[in-house]
C-alpha cells in the first residue's frame, strides 16, 4: 500500500474478497493462504507494525512435541513455513530442537517419546552429544538428551514484518496499518461491513485474528471460551563467547508443557521431581528454553502467569530464576541486554478458538502457547473449509 492507495469513505467502502483483522502470524498465514487460493485479501492491524505475541516469542515451531490434532496441524504447516520463507524472503531453519536431560526421569520421558514415534523423529543423545550441541567442552550436570527432528526455527523479530511486506506487494494483497477494527455489521451485497478507525471496509469473508484481544471485539465469545491472557517474561542476551546453536534448546520444564511428553507414563514422576528439586521454577510455571537468532543473540525464557488483564510489572526474581537455570545449561554466564513481557491467549477449554461470530465472520485464536507452530497448518484448514479454491490471483498476474 502506498500514499496513492484509495481510502474508504462512508458512502463507498472498499471491498476485498477476504478481510483479515490482525497482522500477527495467525492473520498473515490466513491472508497468505487465501491469496494463494485465488482471493483478494486486505489485512488490517491497529498498530503501525506488528508488536504482538508473534514478535515476542522464540521463533520456535515446536512441531515434534505436539500430539493428536495439534500434531497433524503442525505437520501440515511445516512445508508451508518453508515455502513462505522462500517466497517472502525470511530466514527459516530446519534446525530441530534438542532437549537436555539432567536426571534419569527426564531421560526416561525422552526415551518413552522416542519409542512412541517413527524411527529418527526423536533421537536419544549422549551427554557428550548434548554438550557438543551447546558448544560446551564439559557435560557437567547433563546425562543425555534427545533431538526433535521436525522442529523449525524462524527469527520472530523480522518474520511477520517480511511476510506482511510480501503480502502487500502481491496482486490482490494489501496490508493497512494503524487501522483498528471497531465492529462488524451487514454490508452491501450480503458482504460483511467492518467498521474501522479509518472508515468502513467490506468483504465476503472476514477472519478475526486478534490473538488475546478477542475480548475487546467479542467479549461474550471470549468469556464462553474462558480466554485469559498468559504473560511470559523473556530476555535477550549476546553471548560473551562465539556460540552456534542450531536447534532450539528445551529442558525438563519444557517437557511438562508439551503434550507429547506429558502423555508418557513417566510424566507424573517428572512433575513431582521438578516440584521437589526446582520449586522456584514450578512456582513461576517456567519453560526454561532458548533459541539463537541469526545475529547471534539468544532469546531466553520463560515464565507463565494467567489473568484476564495482565499487570505490566516484571518481577526480577522470575528473570533471576530463569537465568540461573539457563546459565547452568550453557555452562557460562549471560548478560541481559533486553527484557520484555509477551502475552498470548490461553484457555482451559481447549487450544483453539475457531468460531463463526456472524455469517461471514470467523474468529480464529490459538489459545495456547503454540501459535507459531500451528499458524500455517491452521490457516490451510480454515481457508479450505471457508473458501472454494479459485485460480490464484498471483498466477493470473504472471
Ligand atoms: C513470550 C512468548 C513465547 C512464545 N513461544 C512460542 C513458541 O516457542 N512456539 C509457538 O508456536 N508459539 C509461541 N508463542 C505463542 C505464539 O507467539 C502466539 O500463539 C502467536 O504469536 C499468536 O499469533 P496471533 O497472530 O494470534 O497474535 P498476535 O501476534 O498477538 O497478533 C495479533 C494482532 O492483532 C492486532 N489487533 C488486535 N486487535 C485489533 C483490532 N481491533 N483491529 C486491528 N488489529 C488488531 C494486534 O495489533 C496484533 O498485531 C509464544 C508467545 C509468547 C508471548
Amino acid at each position: 500500500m502506498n500514499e496513492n492507495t484509495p481510502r474508504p469513505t462512508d458512502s463507498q467502502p472498499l471491498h476485498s474478497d477476504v478481510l483479515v483483522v490482525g497482522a500477527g502470524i495467525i492473520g498473515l498465514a490466513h491472508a497468505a493462504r487465501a491469496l494463494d487460493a485465488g482471493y483478494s485479501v486486505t489485512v488490517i492491524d491497529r498498530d503501525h507494525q506488528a508488536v504482538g505475541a508473534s514478535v515476542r516469542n522464540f521463533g520456535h515451531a515446536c512441531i515434534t512435541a505436539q500430539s493428536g490434532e495439534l500434531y497433524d496441524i503442525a505437520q501440515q504447516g511445516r512445508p508451508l513455513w518453508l515455502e513462505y520463507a522462500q517466497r517472502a524472503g525470511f530466514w527459516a531453519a530446519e534446525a530441530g530442537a534438542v532437549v537436555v536431560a539432567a536426571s534419569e526421569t527426564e531421560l526416561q520421558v525422552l526415551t518413552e517419546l522416542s519409542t512412541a514415534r517413527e524411527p529418527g523423529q526423536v533421537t536419544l543423545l549422549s551427554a557428550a552429544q548434548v554438550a557438543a550441541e551447546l558448544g560446551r567442552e564439559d557435560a557437567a550436570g547433563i546425562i543425555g538428551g534427545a533431538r526433535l527432528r521436525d522442529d523449525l526455527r524462524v527469527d520472530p523479530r523480522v518474520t511477520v514484518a517480511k511476510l506482511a511486506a510480501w503480502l502487500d506487494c502481491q496482486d490482490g494483497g494489501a496490508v493497512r496499518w494503524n487501522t483498528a477494527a471497531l465492529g462488524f455489521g451487514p454490508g452491501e451485497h450480503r458482504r460483511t461491513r467492518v467498521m474501522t478507525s479509518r472508515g468502513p471496509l467490506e468483504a465476503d469473508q472476514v477472519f478475526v485474528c486478534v490473538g488475546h484481544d478477542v475480548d475487546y471485539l467479542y467479549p461474550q465469545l471470549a468469556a464462553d471460551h474462558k480466554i485469559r491472557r498468559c504473560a511470559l517474561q523473556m530476555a535477550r542476551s549476546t553471548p560473551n563467547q562465539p556460540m552456534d546453536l542450531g536447534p532450539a534448546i528445551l529442558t525438563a520444564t519444557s517437557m511438562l508443557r508439551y503434550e507429547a511428553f506429558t502423555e508418557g507414563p513417566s510424566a507424573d514422576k517428572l512433575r513431582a521431581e521438578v516440584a521437589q528439586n526446582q520449586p522456584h521454577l514450578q512456582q513461576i510455571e517456567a519453560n526454561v528454553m532458548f533459541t539463537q537468532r541469526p545475529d547471534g543473540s539468544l532469546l531466553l525464557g520463560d515464565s507463565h502467569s494467567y489473568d484476564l488483564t495482565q499487570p505490566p510489572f516484571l518481577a526480577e526474581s522470575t528473570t533471576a530464576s530463569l537465568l540461573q537455570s539457563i546459565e547452568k545449561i550453557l555452562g557460562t554466564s549471560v548478560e541481559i541486554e533486553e527484557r520484555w513481557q509477551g502475552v498470548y491467549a490461553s484457555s482451559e477449554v481447549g487450544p483453539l478458538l475457531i468460531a463463526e461470530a456472524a455469517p461471514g465472520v470467523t474468529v480464529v485464536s490459538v489459545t495456547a502457547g503454540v501459535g507459531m507452530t500451528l499458524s500455517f497448518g491452521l490457516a490451510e484448514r480454515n481457508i479450505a473449509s471457508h473458501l472454494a479454491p479459485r485460480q490464484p490471483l498471483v498466477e493470473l498476474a504472471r
Side-chain angles (χ1 to χ4, degrees):
M1 234 181 62
N2 59 40
E3 287 306 306
N4 302 321
T5 306
R7 298 275 168 202
T9 63
D10 278 339
S11 54
Q12 254 199 333
L14 293 178
H15 164 250
S16 55
D17 297 327
V18 175
L19 189 128
V20 176
V21 182
I25 193 60
I26 301 298
L28 294 177
H30 279 73
R33 293 316 289 158
L35 194 71
D36 279 341
Y39 292 82
S40 61
V41 181
T42 300
V43 180
I44 61 168
D45 197 287
R46 66 183 174 198
D47 274 311
H48 293 266
Q49 58 173 306
V51 290
S54 305
V55 298
R56 300 182 192 207
N57 60 41
F58 295 97
H60 174 216
C62 182
I63 295 164
T64 320
Q66 303 307 316
S67 176
E69 192 194 3
L70 297 196
Y71 176 81
D72 294 340
I73 296 173
Q75 286 289 6
Q76 194 171 355
R78 189 178 190 279
L80 293 171
W81 262 117
L82 297 171
E83 178 189 328
Y84 285 101
Q86 286 263 320
R87 291 169 69 191
F90 61 83
W91 176 85
E94 296 185 77
V98 164
V99 193
V100 182
S103 79
E104 289 298 338
T105 312
E106 293 170 27
L107 206 49
Q108 183 57 28
V109 171
L110 294 176
T111 307
E112 286 160 10
L113 182 61
S114 169
T115 312
R117 291 294 173 86
E118 67 180 45
Q121 198 190 28
V122 177
T123 309
L124 296 177
L125 303 174
S126 67
Q129 284 173 314
V130 174
E133 292 282 0
L134 293 165
R136 278 179 56 172
E137 282 166 16
D138 70 296
I142 300 171
I143 68 160
R147 171 179 289 282
L148 312 183
R149 183 191 63 195
D150 295 345
D151 290 17
L152 301 176
R153 292 213 303 108
V154 296
D155 183 355
R157 301 265 171 132
V158 297
T159 298
V160 286
K162 290 240 178 182
L163 195 51
W166 175 81
L167 272 164
D168 199 34
C169 289
Q170 305 306 302
D171 286 313
V175 180
R176 294 172 177 272
W177 299 105
N178 189 214
T179 306
L182 306 173
F184 306 85
E188 288 172 16
H189 310 295
R190 308 180 77 177
R191 294 172 188 146
T192 297
R193 179 172 285 204
V194 181
M195 274 63 79
T196 83
S197 51
R198 290 183 179 274
L201 298 170
E202 289 195 354
D204 301 306
Q205 171 66 44
V206 176
F207 290 102
V208 180
C209 305
V210 295
H212 50 273
D213 288 339
V214 175
D215 58 348
Y216 292 175
L217 292 168
Y218 291 105
Q220 194 54 51
L221 184 64
D224 291 346
H225 197 73
K226 298 190 177 165
I227 291 189
R228 289 189 299 165
R229 288 176 172 78
C230 176
L232 304 85
Q233 284 188 214
M234 297 282 290
R236 189 176 71 85
S237 161
T238 299
N240 305 328
Q241 57 206 46
M243 201 176 272
D244 187 12
L245 293 179
I249 306 297
L250 310 181
T251 65
T253 49
S254 321
M255 291 188 231
L256 294 178
R257 299 198 70 86
Y258 297 114
E259 216 166 296
F261 298 113
T262 58
E263 285 168 343
S266 297
D268 284 344
K269 193 173 169 203
L270 176 60
R271 195 168 290 110
E273 193 175 276
V274 170
Q276 171 148 14
N277 300 341
Q278 299 172 298
H280 52 295
L281 293 183
Q282 193 206 28
Q283 207 180 354
I284 59 170
E285 299 196 41
N287 171 3
V288 176
M289 65 169 285
F290 47 96
T291 56
Q292 189 169 32
R293 297 180 59 217
D295 73 358
S297 65
L298 300 175
L299 300 176
L300 313 166
D302 61 16
S303 57
H304 298 80
S305 72
Y306 300 85
D307 214 330
L308 285 170
T309 292
Q310 279 293 343
F313 313 109
L314 303 183
E316 197 57 28
S317 58
T318 298
T319 307
S321 289
L322 294 170
L323 277 193
Q324 204 182 23
S325 304
I326 288 168
E327 286 177 338
K328 211 165 144 193
I329 294 162
L330 283 171
T332 179
S333 61
V334 290
E335 227 166 86
I336 299 303
E337 286 167 282
E338 292 174 347
R339 301 169 202 271
W340 64 98
Q341 183 186 59
V343 179
Y344 65 67
S346 169
S347 167
E348 64 190 50
V349 174
L352 298 175
L353 169 63
I354 303 169
E356 305 307 319
V361 182
T362 308
V363 175
V364 184
S365 181
V366 174
T367 50
V370 287
M372 295 293 273
T373 308
L374 303 184
S375 50
F376 279 102
L378 191 60
E380 180 73 347
R381 289 181 175 206
N382 284 336
I383 295 305
S385 62
H386 287 80
L387 303 171
R390 290 177 179 168
Q391 191 169 358
L393 292 170
V394 179
E395 259 174 39
L396 284 175
R398 275 184 196 143

PDB file of all heavy atoms in Angstrom, residues 8-38:
ATOM      1  N   PRO A   8     -11.055   4.300   2.254  1.00  0.00           N
ATOM      2  CA  PRO A   8     -12.500   4.081   2.281  1.00  0.00           C
ATOM      3  C   PRO A   8     -13.247   5.333   2.716  1.00  0.00           C
ATOM      4  O   PRO A   8     -12.719   6.150   3.462  1.00  0.00           O
ATOM      5  CB  PRO A   8     -12.655   2.979   3.338  1.00  0.00           C
ATOM      6  CG  PRO A   8     -11.440   3.076   4.192  1.00  0.00           C
ATOM      7  CD  PRO A   8     -10.345   3.617   3.334  1.00  0.00           C
ATOM      8  N   THR A   9     -14.474   5.485   2.217  1.00  0.00           N
ATOM      9  CA  THR A   9     -15.345   6.557   2.716  1.00  0.00           C
ATOM     10  C   THR A   9     -16.648   5.909   3.163  1.00  0.00           C
ATOM     11  O   THR A   9     -16.941   4.779   2.765  1.00  0.00           O
ATOM     12  CB  THR A   9     -15.661   7.584   1.604  1.00  0.00           C
ATOM     13  OG1 THR A   9     -16.380   6.900   0.582  1.00  0.00           O
ATOM     14  CG2 THR A   9     -14.406   8.199   1.022  1.00  0.00           C
ATOM     15  N   ASP A  10     -17.445   6.631   3.950  1.00  0.00           N
ATOM     16  CA  ASP A  10     -18.697   6.047   4.440  1.00  0.00           C
ATOM     17  C   ASP A  10     -19.611   5.639   3.302  1.00  0.00           C
ATOM     18  O   ASP A  10     -20.281   4.625   3.348  1.00  0.00           O
ATOM     19  CB  ASP A  10     -19.416   7.035   5.354  1.00  0.00           C
ATOM     20  CG  ASP A  10     -18.827   6.963   6.752  1.00  0.00           C
ATOM     21  OD1 ASP A  10     -18.207   5.934   7.054  1.00  0.00           O
ATOM     22  OD2 ASP A  10     -18.972   7.939   7.495  1.00  0.00           O
ATOM     23  N   SER A  11     -19.644   6.460   2.226  1.00  0.00           N
ATOM     24  CA  SER A  11     -20.561   6.152   1.126  1.00  0.00           C
ATOM     25  C   SER A  11     -19.993   5.064   0.215  1.00  0.00           C
ATOM     26  O   SER A  11     -20.724   4.365  -0.450  1.00  0.00           O
ATOM     27  CB  SER A  11     -20.847   7.411   0.324  1.00  0.00           C
ATOM     28  OG  SER A  11     -19.623   7.978  -0.073  1.00  0.00           O
ATOM     29  N   GLN A  12     -18.675   4.918   0.186  1.00  0.00           N
ATOM     30  CA  GLN A  12     -18.048   3.937  -0.719  1.00  0.00           C
ATOM     31  C   GLN A  12     -17.008   3.105   0.009  1.00  0.00           C
ATOM     32  O   GLN A  12     -15.794   3.340  -0.105  1.00  0.00           O
ATOM     33  CB  GLN A  12     -17.358   4.686  -1.856  1.00  0.00           C
ATOM     34  CG  GLN A  12     -18.131   4.573  -3.146  1.00  0.00           C
ATOM     35  CD  GLN A  12     -17.250   4.902  -4.314  1.00  0.00           C
ATOM     36  OE1 GLN A  12     -16.289   5.652  -4.189  1.00  0.00           O
ATOM     37  NE2 GLN A  12     -17.560   4.326  -5.460  1.00  0.00           N
ATOM     38  N   PRO A  13     -17.452   2.126   0.778  1.00  0.00           N
ATOM     39  CA  PRO A  13     -16.452   1.318   1.487  1.00  0.00           C
ATOM     40  C   PRO A  13     -15.649   0.476   0.507  1.00  0.00           C
ATOM     41  O   PRO A  13     -16.188   0.029  -0.512  1.00  0.00           O
ATOM     42  CB  PRO A  13     -17.311   0.429   2.402  1.00  0.00           C
ATOM     43  CG  PRO A  13     -18.674   0.453   1.840  1.00  0.00           C
ATOM     44  CD  PRO A  13     -18.823   1.681   1.003  1.00  0.00           C
ATOM     45  N   LEU A  14     -14.366   0.322   0.770  1.00  0.00           N
ATOM     46  CA  LEU A  14     -13.536  -0.515  -0.109  1.00  0.00           C
ATOM     47  C   LEU A  14     -13.886  -1.976   0.117  1.00  0.00           C
ATOM     48  O   LEU A  14     -14.226  -2.380   1.222  1.00  0.00           O
ATOM     49  CB  LEU A  14     -12.067  -0.263   0.179  1.00  0.00           C
ATOM     50  CG  LEU A  14     -11.576   1.130  -0.180  1.00  0.00           C
ATOM     51  CD1 LEU A  14     -10.114   1.267   0.193  1.00  0.00           C
ATOM     52  CD2 LEU A  14     -11.774   1.401  -1.670  1.00  0.00           C
ATOM     53  N   HIS A  15     -13.754  -2.740  -0.947  1.00  0.00           N
ATOM     54  CA  HIS A  15     -14.159  -4.139  -0.877  1.00  0.00           C
ATOM     55  C   HIS A  15     -13.010  -5.069  -1.278  1.00  0.00           C
ATOM     56  O   HIS A  15     -12.260  -4.784  -2.204  1.00  0.00           O
ATOM     57  CB  HIS A  15     -15.350  -4.361  -1.839  1.00  0.00           C
ATOM     58  CG  HIS A  15     -15.598  -5.804  -2.138  1.00  0.00           C
ATOM     59  ND1 HIS A  15     -15.346  -6.360  -3.372  1.00  0.00           N
ATOM     60  CD2 HIS A  15     -16.031  -6.812  -1.353  1.00  0.00           C
ATOM     61  CE1 HIS A  15     -15.639  -7.652  -3.330  1.00  0.00           C
ATOM     62  NE2 HIS A  15     -16.056  -7.943  -2.127  1.00  0.00           N
ATOM     63  N   SER A  16     -12.845  -6.165  -0.541  1.00  0.00           N
ATOM     64  CA  SER A  16     -11.965  -7.258  -0.996  1.00  0.00           C
ATOM     65  C   SER A  16     -12.707  -8.562  -0.703  1.00  0.00           C
ATOM     66  O   SER A  16     -13.658  -8.578   0.071  1.00  0.00           O
ATOM     67  CB  SER A  16     -10.607  -7.213  -0.284  1.00  0.00           C
ATOM     68  OG  SER A  16     -10.801  -7.228   1.108  1.00  0.00           O
ATOM     69  N   ASP A  17     -12.272  -9.647  -1.342  1.00  0.00           N
ATOM     70  CA  ASP A  17     -12.956 -10.926  -1.087  1.00  0.00           C
ATOM     71  C   ASP A  17     -12.836 -11.296   0.386  1.00  0.00           C
ATOM     72  O   ASP A  17     -13.790 -11.741   1.011  1.00  0.00           O
ATOM     73  CB  ASP A  17     -12.313 -12.046  -1.929  1.00  0.00           C
ATOM     74  CG  ASP A  17     -12.451 -11.803  -3.422  1.00  0.00           C
ATOM     75  OD1 ASP A  17     -13.474 -11.217  -3.837  1.00  0.00           O
ATOM     76  OD2 ASP A  17     -11.537 -12.200  -4.182  1.00  0.00           O
ATOM     77  N   VAL A  18     -11.625 -11.134   0.900  1.00  0.00           N
ATOM     78  CA  VAL A  18     -11.334 -11.574   2.273  1.00  0.00           C
ATOM     79  C   VAL A  18     -10.738 -10.403   3.044  1.00  0.00           C
ATOM     80  O   VAL A  18      -9.904  -9.662   2.512  1.00  0.00           O
ATOM     81  CB  VAL A  18     -10.324 -12.752   2.259  1.00  0.00           C
ATOM     82  CG1 VAL A  18      -9.900 -13.140   3.680  1.00  0.00           C
ATOM     83  CG2 VAL A  18     -10.922 -13.960   1.533  1.00  0.00           C
ATOM     84  N   LEU A  19     -11.167 -10.228   4.275  1.00  0.00           N
ATOM     85  CA  LEU A  19     -10.550  -9.229   5.145  1.00  0.00           C
ATOM     86  C   LEU A  19     -10.046  -9.933   6.404  1.00  0.00           C
ATOM     87  O   LEU A  19     -10.783 -10.728   7.001  1.00  0.00           O
ATOM     88  CB  LEU A  19     -11.566  -8.144   5.524  1.00  0.00           C
ATOM     89  CG  LEU A  19     -10.893  -6.971   6.239  1.00  0.00           C
ATOM     90  CD1 LEU A  19     -11.246  -5.660   5.582  1.00  0.00           C
ATOM     91  CD2 LEU A  19     -11.262  -6.920   7.696  1.00  0.00           C
ATOM     92  N   VAL A  20      -8.809  -9.679   6.733  1.00  0.00           N
ATOM     93  CA  VAL A  20      -8.214 -10.297   7.917  1.00  0.00           C
ATOM     94  C   VAL A  20      -7.925  -9.193   8.928  1.00  0.00           C
ATOM     95  O   VAL A  20      -7.273  -8.199   8.592  1.00  0.00           O
ATOM     96  CB  VAL A  20      -6.904 -11.041   7.558  1.00  0.00           C
ATOM     97  CG1 VAL A  20      -6.238 -11.589   8.816  1.00  0.00           C
ATOM     98  CG2 VAL A  20      -7.174 -12.172   6.564  1.00  0.00           C
ATOM     99  N   VAL A  21      -8.418  -9.355  10.131  1.00  0.00           N
ATOM    100  CA  VAL A  21      -8.133  -8.385  11.207  1.00  0.00           C
ATOM    101  C   VAL A  21      -6.996  -8.955  12.049  1.00  0.00           C
ATOM    102  O   VAL A  21      -7.135 -10.018  12.663  1.00  0.00           O
ATOM    103  CB  VAL A  21      -9.375  -8.158  12.091  1.00  0.00           C
ATOM    104  CG1 VAL A  21      -9.066  -7.101  13.160  1.00  0.00           C
ATOM    105  CG2 VAL A  21     -10.570  -7.745  11.247  1.00  0.00           C
ATOM    106  N   GLY A  22      -5.857  -8.268  12.055  1.00  0.00           N
ATOM    107  CA  GLY A  22      -4.700  -8.706  12.851  1.00  0.00           C
ATOM    108  C   GLY A  22      -3.571  -9.180  11.960  1.00  0.00           C
ATOM    109  O   GLY A  22      -3.734 -10.126  11.193  1.00  0.00           O
ATOM    110  N   ALA A  23      -2.429  -8.507  12.056  1.00  0.00           N
ATOM    111  CA  ALA A  23      -1.268  -8.855  11.224  1.00  0.00           C
ATOM    112  C   ALA A  23      -0.204  -9.582  12.032  1.00  0.00           C
ATOM    113  O   ALA A  23       0.990  -9.412  11.823  1.00  0.00           O
ATOM    114  CB  ALA A  23      -0.682  -7.605  10.570  1.00  0.00           C
ATOM    115  N   GLY A  24      -0.645 -10.406  13.004  1.00  0.00           N
ATOM    116  CA  GLY A  24       0.278 -11.355  13.642  1.00  0.00           C
ATOM    117  C   GLY A  24       0.398 -12.573  12.741  1.00  0.00           C
ATOM    118  O   GLY A  24      -0.135 -12.596  11.629  1.00  0.00           O
ATOM    119  N   ILE A  25       1.065 -13.609  13.227  1.00  0.00           N
ATOM    120  CA  ILE A  25       1.327 -14.766  12.359  1.00  0.00           C
ATOM    121  C   ILE A  25       0.031 -15.483  11.972  1.00  0.00           C
ATOM    122  O   ILE A  25      -0.088 -15.999  10.848  1.00  0.00           O
ATOM    123  CB  ILE A  25       2.357 -15.737  12.991  1.00  0.00           C
ATOM    124  CG1 ILE A  25       2.845 -16.729  11.940  1.00  0.00           C
ATOM    125  CG2 ILE A  25       1.789 -16.460  14.213  1.00  0.00           C
ATOM    126  CD1 ILE A  25       3.524 -16.144  10.753  1.00  0.00           C
ATOM    127  N   ILE A  26      -0.977 -15.488  12.848  1.00  0.00           N
ATOM    128  CA  ILE A  26      -2.222 -16.200  12.512  1.00  0.00           C
ATOM    129  C   ILE A  26      -2.950 -15.456  11.386  1.00  0.00           C
ATOM    130  O   ILE A  26      -3.373 -16.068  10.394  1.00  0.00           O
ATOM    131  CB  ILE A  26      -3.135 -16.343  13.761  1.00  0.00           C
ATOM    132  CG1 ILE A  26      -2.395 -17.118  14.871  1.00  0.00           C
ATOM    133  CG2 ILE A  26      -4.445 -17.030  13.398  1.00  0.00           C
ATOM    134  CD1 ILE A  26      -2.004 -18.541  14.515  1.00  0.00           C
ATOM    135  N   GLY A  27      -3.068 -14.145  11.513  1.00  0.00           N
ATOM    136  CA  GLY A  27      -3.731 -13.366  10.472  1.00  0.00           C
ATOM    137  C   GLY A  27      -2.981 -13.435   9.155  1.00  0.00           C
ATOM    138  O   GLY A  27      -3.574 -13.638   8.089  1.00  0.00           O
ATOM    139  N   LEU A  28      -1.664 -13.298   9.207  1.00  0.00           N
ATOM    140  CA  LEU A  28      -0.877 -13.282   7.964  1.00  0.00           C
ATOM    141  C   LEU A  28      -0.887 -14.646   7.280  1.00  0.00           C
ATOM    142  O   LEU A  28      -0.923 -14.730   6.050  1.00  0.00           O
ATOM    143  CB  LEU A  28       0.559 -12.832   8.247  1.00  0.00           C
ATOM    144  CG  LEU A  28       0.691 -11.372   8.728  1.00  0.00           C
ATOM    145  CD1 LEU A  28       2.147 -11.062   9.055  1.00  0.00           C
ATOM    146  CD2 LEU A  28       0.150 -10.388   7.690  1.00  0.00           C
ATOM    147  N   ALA A  29      -0.853 -15.710   8.069  1.00  0.00           N
ATOM    148  CA  ALA A  29      -0.902 -17.051   7.462  1.00  0.00           C
ATOM    149  C   ALA A  29      -2.254 -17.251   6.769  1.00  0.00           C
ATOM    150  O   ALA A  29      -2.313 -17.796   5.651  1.00  0.00           O
ATOM    151  CB  ALA A  29      -0.684 -18.128   8.532  1.00  0.00           C
ATOM    152  N   HIS A  30      -3.341 -16.782   7.391  1.00  0.00           N
ATOM    153  CA  HIS A  30      -4.657 -16.882   6.735  1.00  0.00           C
ATOM    154  C   HIS A  30      -4.677 -16.039   5.458  1.00  0.00           C
ATOM    155  O   HIS A  30      -5.203 -16.473   4.431  1.00  0.00           O
ATOM    156  CB  HIS A  30      -5.770 -16.433   7.694  1.00  0.00           C
ATOM    157  CG  HIS A  30      -6.177 -17.503   8.664  1.00  0.00           C
ATOM    158  ND1 HIS A  30      -5.384 -17.879   9.725  1.00  0.00           N
ATOM    159  CD2 HIS A  30      -7.275 -18.306   8.726  1.00  0.00           C
ATOM    160  CE1 HIS A  30      -5.987 -18.863  10.397  1.00  0.00           C
ATOM    161  NE2 HIS A  30      -7.120 -19.134   9.807  1.00  0.00           N
ATOM    162  N   ALA A  31      -4.108 -14.858   5.539  1.00  0.00           N
ATOM    163  CA  ALA A  31      -4.087 -13.980   4.357  1.00  0.00           C
ATOM    164  C   ALA A  31      -3.298 -14.625   3.222  1.00  0.00           C
ATOM    165  O   ALA A  31      -3.724 -14.619   2.062  1.00  0.00           O
ATOM    166  CB  ALA A  31      -3.487 -12.630   4.733  1.00  0.00           C
ATOM    167  N   ALA A  32      -2.140 -15.195   3.542  1.00  0.00           N
ATOM    168  CA  ALA A  32      -1.291 -15.802   2.505  1.00  0.00           C
ATOM    169  C   ALA A  32      -2.007 -16.980   1.838  1.00  0.00           C
ATOM    170  O   ALA A  32      -1.993 -17.119   0.606  1.00  0.00           O
ATOM    171  CB  ALA A  32       0.035 -16.264   3.123  1.00  0.00           C
ATOM    172  N   ARG A  33      -2.642 -17.800   2.641  1.00  0.00           N
ATOM    173  CA  ARG A  33      -3.339 -18.971   2.066  1.00  0.00           C
ATOM    174  C   ARG A  33      -4.564 -18.538   1.262  1.00  0.00           C
ATOM    175  O   ARG A  33      -4.885 -19.149   0.237  1.00  0.00           O
ATOM    176  CB  ARG A  33      -3.735 -19.969   3.158  1.00  0.00           C
ATOM    177  CG  ARG A  33      -2.578 -20.650   3.849  1.00  0.00           C
ATOM    178  CD  ARG A  33      -1.498 -21.121   2.904  1.00  0.00           C
ATOM    179  NE  ARG A  33      -1.883 -22.262   2.080  1.00  0.00           N
ATOM    180  CZ  ARG A  33      -1.311 -22.581   0.921  1.00  0.00           C
ATOM    181  NH1 ARG A  33      -0.346 -21.837   0.420  1.00  0.00           N
ATOM    182  NH2 ARG A  33      -1.709 -23.635   0.244  1.00  0.00           N
ATOM    183  N   ALA A  34      -5.270 -17.490   1.715  1.00  0.00           N
ATOM    184  CA  ALA A  34      -6.442 -17.012   0.967  1.00  0.00           C
ATOM    185  C   ALA A  34      -6.001 -16.431  -0.379  1.00  0.00           C
ATOM    186  O   ALA A  34      -6.613 -16.682  -1.416  1.00  0.00           O
ATOM    187  CB  ALA A  34      -7.195 -15.968   1.788  1.00  0.00           C
ATOM    188  N   LEU A  35      -4.914 -15.674  -0.350  1.00  0.00           N
ATOM    189  CA  LEU A  35      -4.389 -15.084  -1.590  1.00  0.00           C
ATOM    190  C   LEU A  35      -4.008 -16.193  -2.567  1.00  0.00           C
ATOM    191  O   LEU A  35      -4.338 -16.139  -3.756  1.00  0.00           O
ATOM    192  CB  LEU A  35      -3.179 -14.224  -1.253  1.00  0.00           C
ATOM    193  CG  LEU A  35      -2.693 -13.278  -2.344  1.00  0.00           C
ATOM    194  CD1 LEU A  35      -3.668 -12.128  -2.530  1.00  0.00           C
ATOM    195  CD2 LEU A  35      -1.316 -12.720  -1.966  1.00  0.00           C
ATOM    196  N   ASP A  36      -3.339 -17.210  -2.053  1.00  0.00           N
ATOM    197  CA  ASP A  36      -2.906 -18.310  -2.926  1.00  0.00           C
ATOM    198  C   ASP A  36      -4.075 -19.194  -3.363  1.00  0.00           C
ATOM    199  O   ASP A  36      -3.932 -19.984  -4.296  1.00  0.00           O
ATOM    200  CB  ASP A  36      -1.825 -19.150  -2.224  1.00  0.00           C
ATOM    201  CG  ASP A  36      -0.464 -18.479  -2.346  1.00  0.00           C
ATOM    202  OD1 ASP A  36      -0.309 -17.609  -3.241  1.00  0.00           O
ATOM    203  OD2 ASP A  36       0.437 -18.791  -1.562  1.00  0.00           O
ATOM    204  N   ALA A  37      -5.213 -19.064  -2.687  1.00  0.00           N
ATOM    205  CA  ALA A  37      -6.410 -19.792  -3.137  1.00  0.00           C
ATOM    206  C   ALA A  37      -7.177 -18.979  -4.182  1.00  0.00           C
ATOM    207  O   ALA A  37      -8.227 -19.400  -4.650  1.00  0.00           O
ATOM    208  CB  ALA A  37      -7.310 -20.111  -1.949  1.00  0.00           C
ATOM    209  N   GLY A  38      -6.663 -17.781  -4.518  1.00  0.00           N
ATOM    210  CA  GLY A  38      -7.261 -17.007  -5.606  1.00  0.00           C
ATOM    211  C   GLY A  38      -8.148 -15.855  -5.169  1.00  0.00           C
ATOM    212  O   GLY A  38      -8.898 -15.311  -5.972  1.00  0.00           O
TER     213      GLY A  38
END
